[in-house]
Amino acid sequence: MSEKKILLTESEIPEKWYNIMADMPNKPLPPLNPATNEPIGPDALAPIFPMGLIEQEVSTEKWIEIPDQVRDIYKIWRPSPLIRAYGFEKALDTPAKIYYKYEGVSPAGSHKPNTAIAQAYYNKQEGVKKIVTETGAGQWGSALSLACSMFDMECEVFMVKLSFNHKPYRKSMMNVWGGTVHASPSELTEAGRTILAKDPNSPGSLGIAISEAIERAVHTENAKYSLGSVLNHVLLHQTVIGQEALLQMEKAGDMPDIIIAPFGGGSNFAGLAFPFLKLNFEEGRKIRAIASEPASCPKLTRGVFRYDFGDTIGMTPLLPMYTLGHNFVPAPIHAGGLRYHGAGVIVSQLLKDKLIEARSHHQLECFEAGVLFAKTEGIIPAPEANNGLATVVQEAKKCKEEGISKTILFNLSGHGNLDMSAYDAYFSGNLEEHELTTAEIESSLAELNTPTI
Amino acid sequence: MSEKKILLTESEIPEKWYNIMADMPNKPLPPLNPATNEPIGPDALAPIFPMGLIEQEVSTEKWIEIPDQVRDIYKIWRPSPLIRAYGFEKALDTPAKIYYKYEGVSPAGSHKPNTAIAQAYYNKQEGVKKIVTETGAGQWGSALSLACSMFDMECEVFMVKLSFNHKPYRKSMMNVWGGTVHASPSELTEAGRTILAKDPNSPGSLGIAISEAIERAVHTENAKYSLGSVLNHVLLHQTVIGQEALLQMEKAGDMPDIIIAPFGGGSNFAGLAFPFLKLNFEEGRKIRAIASEPASCPKLTRGVFRYDFGDTIGMTPLLPMYTLGHNFVPAPIHAGGLRYHGAGVIVSQLLKDKLIEARSHHQLECFEAGVLFAKTEGIIPAPEANNGLATVVQEAKKCKEEGISKTILFNLSGHGNLDMSAYDAYFSGNLEEHELTTAEIESSLAELNTPTI
């Protein structure tokens, strides 16, 4: 057997982040002030983000240097391995070659620390003492707690109540790294109290938790807010994944025909795909990139492209994106990290321009793929990652049907060690899923009075 | 900063296991038949182990070849990284250099798959269809479930009831890999029924679970039994850890003065330490190796060296080892993998001959060390590993007091992602520990009627 893992040395950790804004044929539309519907400038973000990150948010420079201190902390787990899925290929009896980039090697178990470390660094540089954030499945909250621990800062996390109750170990991880965790909606914020007044049993959502975290950050001295996906600077930081993968594919003497990644707000998808899309832009290659989203939260495949809020209460600027409406509360599927109503601005524009693709899956199909992967490759994937695996299985089967060997590169964005109750539900046959109707989506979108595009 | 991680390529995975039996000045005494107190031969083990493993159990060959198929599966996660603990060193303000070998990168999250894969291979070679075993904290049961999944075999696990109830995620992992899990003591075996008749609320122990697993294996067609520590062949398989670490230390231009590892039955300790002890034997070096055990189960520091059973009921041969007595039931500490009454035969002989050292710690001290490690190095250690970290902290502080820079090599045998409830207990102040009295130990030992040495 040839090498299973393609490893890089620490000196091969990228020195710059790749900013796809520089290469996009159509730049994203500007964010709008919801009071005036006029474009907003960087200053409008200053109350909640440090200037170092705001500059990255609006930058069109192609390359942005990674600070040495960030690269030094990346060394705890980076470069992450690229692994050939020989066992999974054999089980699928496919002529396709399947590689996966494994981001679960980080101490938090996912790709999220790639941006958490960077964000903590820029906040620390500007004297921030505490970072407030939200978390869905807990991946982001634990990543930011870890990052704050590394920079000796405080971290406060509003965790979607559904996950808070179902994933106690995620909360414990945040505590080990010194983070403080609240179930959201909470009584600690006006936003939370408003939601609880309407529905005392609200399971929460990422949109609600974002509202709470922003409110809390704004009202806390020396504190800033942080988001783990969606925004341009977050996607930017994640491009270390794809840059490493590109180098690793070259070392393997191969190049992907298809890139597949799970999709929540866009960060792990962008992280893997953007450095390859760069080749499409620069060299006219035709590498396909497919974002895999849950059928119960299908903003890319069934949402609309229009301006919408990033949060539920309406505290953020209006962003041009694929959305199901900021009041949409997704069904309580186990891939909690994908339960978000909107898609990142850059990714939305790329989809609009047909430069990337999207596909949705029911969770039963996702867990079937995940269990097969665990039994053949060993690693138990995070429920979010199972979404991408469902697409991998479809593409691998298509290769078999057509008798064509394509090369598939997949982002195994995290392990499922902290999500085992989801697998319990799968084995006990409790993964039925509510079929989302067109009427339900239309009803959520009908509430929107934000500008259309 | 210099390199944080020292990595090896897949071609540097060891090709042979190192058998310390060849180099020991005093070979261990033979196992005895409990009915006759006469030495037993390899044939006596044939009902429960395949011949391939029995041959290794009694071998005095210095090097035993690792089958290609085993090395190919090792490639999923091996070679494991050697990491310099710069952050931990800084927090301890010590002149010591601290390195850790990180075995938590395996899909099961610990060093256990190193032998599980090998054991499954030799069973498969001899036509075995099912392997039955026991597990304490769940590390071993999940490792063997993973291994059986890789070789398309069945796996049945008797899990100590205390862990079965406290660590449901471990059970879920075994299920994902196709393993069947029972809480032990169970009604499925005569051994389990005997224990339950005496104490229906028995929390179980490794000794009891071993009795059940052996009984079940013997009475199941085409099934064999497997043990995850203690035995010679298990320690042998783990030497891939130390062989890699030796090569990595050489690449780092350094060599350990002190090797530290947590101690349950001896497998992760032996795995790291034996290839370095080889240098002591061959070149007269004076590398110290310290085994770190819990104060509530101190067979090395407070037990006696005599013949005893490996299990509670008395189904195994009599083994010459440090023991607290096979009826000793350790307090329900969180480091479940260290709750075993005896120590492996080889390690016991080495301690008897003063070729290694031992030290015990209370769990509060262990978790303090573990949390400091997590906050500075990122990785959250398994509770078992925290025992070793407590010793590392002591040695690092001693270096500071004496103003001497020593090089410490530590086995971070697993991550704590599946053990977060233990950290919850730590943070909520519920880690008090019963102080084990001399009378309690004497009372357990007084029950022994096995041969003294």
Side-chain angles (χ1 to χ4, degrees):
Chain A
M1 193 189 283
S2 357
E3 283 198 332
K4 179 154 179 73
K5 297 187 302 298
I6 296 104
L7 300 177
L8 302 176
T9 64
E10 290 180 359
S11 62
E12 291 170 306
I13 293 174
E15 294 179 0
K16 293 172 179 171
W17 290 301
Y18 166 61
N19 185 4
I20 199 170
M21 289 273 271
D23 288 330
M24 289 171 76
N26 298 315
K27 311 297 177 205
L29 296 170
L32 303 182
N33 179 332
T36 62
N37 284 355
E38 294 297 317
I40 59 164
D43 290 351
L45 298 171
I48 57 170
F49 294 118
M51 282 313 297
L53 292 175
I54 294 171
E55 282 165 18
Q56 294 179 356
E57 185 65 21
V58 299
S59 171
T60 53
E61 288 295 314
K62 189 159 178 166
W63 297 102
I64 295 179
E65 198 166 4
I66 305 177
D68 284 345
Q69 213 180 335
V70 172
R71 289 183 80 241
D72 270 347
I73 298 177
Y74 279 171
K75 290 178 185 171
I76 292 176
W77 73 96
R78 300 210 73 83
S80 68
L82 181 79
I83 309 179
R84 175 82 182 268
Y86 289 109
F88 196 52
E89 287 172 17
K90 193 175 162 199
L92 292 170
D93 189 24
T94 176
K97 286 188 277 184
I98 303 173
Y99 294 85
Y100 56 99
K101 180 73 169 163
Y102 184 39
E103 289 293 308
V105 291
S106 83
S110 80
H111 65 293
K112 294 289 187 187
N114 296 331
T115 182
I117 300 294
Q119 292 191 42
Y121 170 84
Y122 288 105
N123 275 284
K124 181 80 175 183
Q125 290 293 104
E126 298 182 26
V128 175
K129 304 284 186 205
K130 176 193 264 196
I131 307 183
V132 189
T133 196
E134 72 292 324
T135 195
Q139 298 272 20
W140 171 242
S142 39
L144 194 67
S145 297
L146 165 70
C148 286
S149 164
M150 293 285 143
F151 286 98
D152 203 16
M153 300 167 78
E154 287 179 68
C155 185
E156 191 170 353
V157 182
F158 288 85
M159 184 172 186
V160 174
K161 194 179 280 174
L162 183 77
S163 296
F164 186 90
N165 292 332
H166 282 190
K167 305 196 172 180
Y169 281 16
R170 274 282 166 200
K171 179 165 66 73
S172 313
M173 284 183 98
M174 297 182 231
N175 292 337
V176 168
W177 288 313
T180 305
V181 191
H182 314 294
S184 167
S186 78
E187 294 284 352
L188 295 168
T189 66
E190 188 58 37
R193 290 188 291 270
T194 303
I195 298 289
L196 288 173
K198 282 190 211 161
D199 177 7
N201 296 318
S202 166
S205 71
L206 266 180
I208 295 168
I210 293 174
S211 299
E212 290 204 84
I214 294 177
E215 181 185 332
R216 183 80 163 180
V218 169
H219 292 101
T220 305
E221 205 173 349
N222 282 325
K224 294 282 182 192
Y225 167 74
S226 164
L227 191 67
S229 188
V230 176
L231 297 179
N232 302 353
H233 67 273
V234 181
L235 276 50
L236 174 81
H237 300 152
Q238 294 293 354
T239 59
V240 291
I241 302 173
Q243 290 184 68
E244 286 178 7
L246 179 55
L247 189 53
Q248 288 164 314
M249 291 299 303
E250 283 168 358
K251 292 201 182 198
D254 216 335
M255 189 55 65
D257 299 299
I258 308 171
I259 290 171
I260 295 168
F263 193 92
S267 84
N268 93 78
F269 171 80
L272 181 63
F274 285 5
F276 289 91
L277 293 182
K278 174 170 168 286
L279 302 184
N280 290 359
F281 294 133
E282 289 180 350
E283 304 173 12
R285 298 212 198 193
K286 297 189 183 305
I287 299 169
R288 293 170 59 201
I290 308 175
S292 304
E293 65 180 7
S296 56
C297 194
K299 58 252 181 186
L300 297 177
T301 52
R302 297 175 75 187
V304 294
F305 184 63
R306 77 180 277 173
Y307 275 102
D308 197 5
F309 290 104
D311 68 322
T312 298
I313 293 291
M315 302 181 73
T316 70
L318 290 165
L319 302 170
M321 62 186 188
Y322 279 92
T323 179
L324 295 162
H326 60 272
N327 284 313
F328 182 81
V329 178
I333 55 163
H334 288 278
L338 310 185
R339 293 179 68 245
Y340 183 65
H341 67 274
V345 166
I346 291 177
V347 182
S348 292
Q349 186 65 49
L350 291 170
L351 182 65
K352 182 87 174 72
D353 293 339
K354 297 189 174 18
L355 297 170
I356 61 170
E357 304 168 40
R359 194 173 299 177
S360 77
H361 300 279
H362 284 275
Q363 62 178 347
L364 189 60
E365 182 190 359
C366 299
F367 276 82
E368 275 167 6
V371 169
L372 182 65
F373 187 87
K375 285 191 169 174
T376 53
E377 291 295 315
I379 300 164
I380 298 176
E384 290 79 8
N386 286 345
N387 258 80
L389 280 171
T391 304
V392 172
V393 168
Q394 284 183 344
E395 291 297 322
K397 285 184 176 170
K398 203 171 151 200
C399 283
K400 187 183 175 185
E401 283 160 20
E402 297 174 354
I404 300 171
S405 169
K406 288 190 178 161
T407 298
I408 298 171
L409 170 60
F410 164 66
N411 200 359
L412 184 56
S413 54
H415 64 63
N417 291 355
L418 283 297
D419 309 286
M420 296 311 301
S421 59
Y423 283 91
D424 289 347
Y426 170 71
F427 285 114
S428 61
N430 293 324
L431 273 197
E432 301 88 9
E433 193 167 315
H434 165 73
E435 186 73 35
L436 189 64
T437 64
T438 306
E440 283 172 300
I441 294 176
E442 282 174 358
S443 152
S444 172
L445 293 172
E447 290 179 30
L448 287 183
N449 56 3
T450 53
T452 53
I453 300 173
Chain B
M1 191 189 282
S2 357
E3 284 199 330
K4 179 153 179 73
K5 296 186 301 299
I6 297 104
L7 301 177
L8 302 176
T9 63
E10 290 180 358
S11 63
E12 291 170 307
I13 294 173
E15 294 179 359
K16 291 171 180 171
W17 290 302
Y18 166 60
N19 185 5
I20 199 170
M21 288 273 271
D23 288 330
M24 291 172 76
N26 298 315
K27 312 296 178 205
L29 296 171
L32 303 182
N33 179 332
T36 63
N37 285 354
E38 294 297 317
I40 58 163
D43 290 350
L45 298 171
I48 59 170
F49 294 119
M51 282 313 297
L53 293 175
I54 294 171
E55 283 164 17
Q56 294 179 354
E57 185 64 21
V58 298
S59 171
T60 53
E61 288 296 314
K62 189 159 180 167
W63 297 102
I64 295 177
E65 198 166 5
I66 305 177
D68 284 345
Q69 212 181 337
V70 172
R71 289 182 82 240
D72 271 346
I73 298 177
Y74 279 171
K75 289 178 185 171
I76 291 176
W77 74 97
R78 302 210 74 83
S80 68
L82 182 79
I83 309 179
R84 175 81 183 268
Y86 288 109
F88 196 53
E89 288 172 15
K90 193 175 163 200
L92 292 170
D93 189 25
T94 176
K97 287 187 278 184
I98 303 173
Y99 294 85
Y100 56 100
K101 180 74 170 163
Y102 184 37
E103 290 293 307
V105 290
S106 83
S110 80
H111 65 292
K112 293 290 186 185
N114 296 332
T115 182
I117 300 293
Q119 292 191 42
Y121 169 83
Y122 289 105
N123 275 284
K124 181 80 175 182
Q125 290 294 103
E126 298 182 25
V128 174
K129 304 285 186 205
K130 176 192 265 194
I131 307 183
V132 189
T133 195
E134 72 290 325
T135 195
Q139 299 272 19
W140 172 242
S142 38
L144 194 67
S145 296
L146 166 69
C148 286
S149 164
M150 294 286 143
F151 287 98
D152 203 15
M153 299 167 79
E154 288 179 66
C155 184
E156 191 170 353
V157 182
F158 288 83
M159 184 172 186
V160 174
K161 194 179 282 174
L162 182 78
S163 297
F164 186 91
N165 293 331
H166 283 190
K167 305 198 173 179
Y169 282 15
R170 274 284 166 200
K171 180 166 65 73
S172 313
M173 285 182 98
M174 296 182 233
N175 291 337
V176 168
W177 287 314
T180 305
V181 192
H182 314 294
S184 166
S186 78
E187 295 285 352
L188 294 168
T189 65
E190 187 58 37
R193 289 189 292 269
T194 304
I195 298 289
L196 289 172
K198 282 189 208 161
D199 177 7
N201 297 317
S202 165
S205 72
L206 267 180
I208 296 169
I210 293 173
S211 299
E212 288 204 86
I214 294 177
E215 180 186 332
R216 183 80 161 179
V218 169
H219 292 101
T220 305
E221 205 174 348
N222 282 325
K224 294 282 182 191
Y225 166 74
S226 162
L227 190 68
S229 188
V230 176
L231 297 179
N232 301 353
H233 67 274
V234 180
L235 276 51
L236 174 81
H237 299 152
Q238 293 293 354
T239 59
V240 290
I241 302 174
Q243 290 184 68
E244 286 179 7
L246 180 56
L247 189 54
Q248 287 164 314
M249 292 298 304
E250 284 168 356
K251 291 200 181 198
D254 216 336
M255 190 54 66
D257 299 299
I258 307 171
I259 290 171
I260 295 168
F263 193 92
S267 83
N268 93 79
F269 171 80
L272 181 63
F274 285 5
F276 289 90
L277 293 182
K278 173 171 168 287
L279 302 183
N280 289 1
F281 293 133
E282 288 180 349
E283 305 171 11
R285 298 212 198 193
K286 296 188 185 305
I287 300 169
R288 292 169 60 201
I290 309 176
S292 304
E293 65 179 7
S296 56
C297 194
K299 58 253 181 184
L300 297 176
T301 52
R302 298 175 74 188
V304 294
F305 184 64
R306 75 180 279 173
Y307 274 101
D308 196 5
F309 291 104
D311 69 322
T312 298
I313 293 291
M315 301 180 74
T316 70
L318 289 166
L319 302 170
M321 62 186 187
Y322 278 91
T323 179
L324 295 161
H326 61 272
N327 284 312
F328 182 82
V329 178
I333 56 164
H334 288 279
L338 310 185
R339 294 178 70 246
Y340 182 67
H341 67 274
V345 166
I346 291 177
V347 181
S348 292
Q349 186 65 47
L350 291 170
L351 183 66
K352 183 86 175 72
D353 292 341
K354 297 187 173 17
L355 297 171
I356 61 170
E357 303 168 41
R359 194 173 299 179
S360 77
H361 301 278
H362 284 275
Q363 62 177 346
L364 189 61
E365 180 189 1
C366 299
F367 275 82
E368 275 167 7
V371 168
L372 182 65
F373 187 87
K375 285 191 167 173
T376 53
E377 292 294 317
I379 300 163
I380 300 177
E384 290 78 8
N386 286 346
N387 258 79
L389 280 170
T391 304
V392 172
V393 168
Q394 285 184 341
E395 291 298 321
K397 287 185 174 167
K398 204 172 152 200
C399 283
K400 186 183 176 187
E401 284 161 17
E402 297 175 355
I404 299 171
S405 169
K406 288 190 177 162
T407 297
I408 298 171
L409 170 61
F410 164 64
N411 200 0
L412 184 55
S413 53
H415 64 63
N417 292 355
L418 282 297
D419 309 285
M420 295 311 299
S421 59
Y423 284 91
D424 289 347
Y426 171 72
F427 284 114
S428 61
N430 292 323
L431 273 197
E432 302 90 7
E433 193 168 314
H434 165 73
E435 187 72 37
L436 189 65
T437 64
T438 306
E440 284 172 299
I441 295 175
E442 283 174 356
S443 151
S444 172
L445 293 173
E447 291 179 29
L448 287 183
N449 56 3
T450 53
T452 54
I453 300 172

